[in-house]
């Protein structure tokens, strides 16, 4: 199992690097695709977090026994953010009635939103060595999204651009509507983090060397 997880992580890492680089190449061919805007997207942030996590997790995956508690905590948070990325994008696509156009979407977009989020969940559930985490971690999961949301709302009016329509007050009908969407998203993040913390308490895959 450990070697299968290791191979899967290396494959996911390679795929993720390719998808991010390919997604970012628009900055070199489209004047409207600014790097500063591209890296303002939560999708890019969550996938970059997954990238760093995989770089750390691959060598730890070679060891036997339980992984460090901090690594399980980081895996929990990154998995939460990846789930939020995938589900939020799916809801946006559904609301825009664009599911029939998925085949026309760029492959990197599909990978970042629909392939890597399920992979992150499977890695969290199946990889051996996972630690049991406290429920309080679910509250920690809000820290980064809150900072990102505040940055986005401050920067948006300054540059005239928002990464997602539901954060644009002029597009959705005011800041009260934005606050509603932000609250709903915060609740979803808490639910996803709670589910991840609960999953950390499930029976672990066998980890050699654990007494």
């Amino acid at each position: 199992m450990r070697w299968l997880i290791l191979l899967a992580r290396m494959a996911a890492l390679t795929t993720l690097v390719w998808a991010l680089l390919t997604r970012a190449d628009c900055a070199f061919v489209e004047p409207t695709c600014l790097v500063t805007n591209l890296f303002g997207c939560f999708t890019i942030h969550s996938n970059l977090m997954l990238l760093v996590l995989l770089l750390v997790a691959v060598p730890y995956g070679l060891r036997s026994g339980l992984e460090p508690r901090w690594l399980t905590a980081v895996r929990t948070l990154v998995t939460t953010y990846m789930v939020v990325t995938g589900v939020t994008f799916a809801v946006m696509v559904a609301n825009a009635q664009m599911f029939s156009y998925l085949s026309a979407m760029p492959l990197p977009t599909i990978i970042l939103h629909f392939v890597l989020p399920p992979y992150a969940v499977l890695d969290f559930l199946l990889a051996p060595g996972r630690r049991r985490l406290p429920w309080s971690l679910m509250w920690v999961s809000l820290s980064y999204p809150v900072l990102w949301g505040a940055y986005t709302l401050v920067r948006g009016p300054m540059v005239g651009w928002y990464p997602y329509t539901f954060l644009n007050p002029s597009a959705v009908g005011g800041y009260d509507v934005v606050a509603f969407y932000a609250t709903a998203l915060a609740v979803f993040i808490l639910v996803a983090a709670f589910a991840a913390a609960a999953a950390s308490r499930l029976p672990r895959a066998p980890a050699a060397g654990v007494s």
Side-chain angles (χ1 to χ4, degrees):
M1 170 65 81
R2 190 173 292 276
W3 282 103
L4 288 176
I5 294 296
L6 177 62
L7 291 174
R9 284 176 173 174
M10 293 177 66
L13 181 59
T14 302
T15 302
L16 177 52
V17 170
W18 175 85
L20 286 172
L21 290 177
T22 307
R23 178 68 181 86
D25 67 1
C26 68
F28 300 100
V29 296
E30 298 178 22
T32 57
C33 179
L34 301 177
V35 173
T36 51
N37 287 345
L38 182 65
F39 286 93
C41 297
F42 191 82
T43 294
I44 301 298
H45 291 195
S46 61
N47 277 278
L48 283 174
M49 291 180 190
L50 180 61
L51 172 63
V52 175
L53 173 63
L54 288 173
L55 287 173
V56 174
V58 165
Y60 269 103
L62 295 173
R63 305 180 182 183
S64 60
L66 295 176
E67 65 188 15
R69 193 174 301 277
W70 64 264
L71 181 55
T72 302
V74 172
R75 289 177 60 208
T76 301
L77 294 176
V78 173
T79 300
T80 297
Y81 299 150
M82 289 299 293
V83 168
V84 171
T85 292
V87 172
T88 301
F89 187 75
V91 171
M92 292 171 61
V93 169
N95 286 340
Q97 298 181 343
M98 292 178 58
F99 271 115
S100 59
Y101 299 99
L102 279 179
S103 60
M105 287 185 181
L107 183 57
T109 298
I110 295 176
I111 290 174
L112 295 176
H113 292 97
F114 293 128
V115 176
L116 291 172
Y119 162 76
V121 173
L122 290 175
D123 180 86
F124 183 79
L125 294 175
L126 299 179
R130 184 180 64 243
R131 294 272 190 168
R132 181 184 176 94
L133 296 175
W135 298 111
S136 58
L137 190 67
M138 62 183 285
W139 300 108
V140 178
S141 68
L142 284 179
S143 56
Y144 181 77
V146 167
L147 291 174
W148 170 82
Y151 165 78
T152 299
L153 291 177
V154 170
R155 180 176 182 267
M158 297 173 61
V159 300
W161 180 87
Y162 294 82
Y164 307 104
T165 303
F166 62 84
L167 292 177
N168 186 346
S170 62
V172 298
Y175 281 98
D176 54 338
V177 182
V178 171
F180 170 79
Y181 284 125
T183 301
L185 188 57
V187 171
F188 178 63
I189 291 172
L190 286 175
V191 171
F194 178 86
S200 76
R201 295 163 176 260
L202 294 174
R204 295 182 294 263
V210 179
S211 56

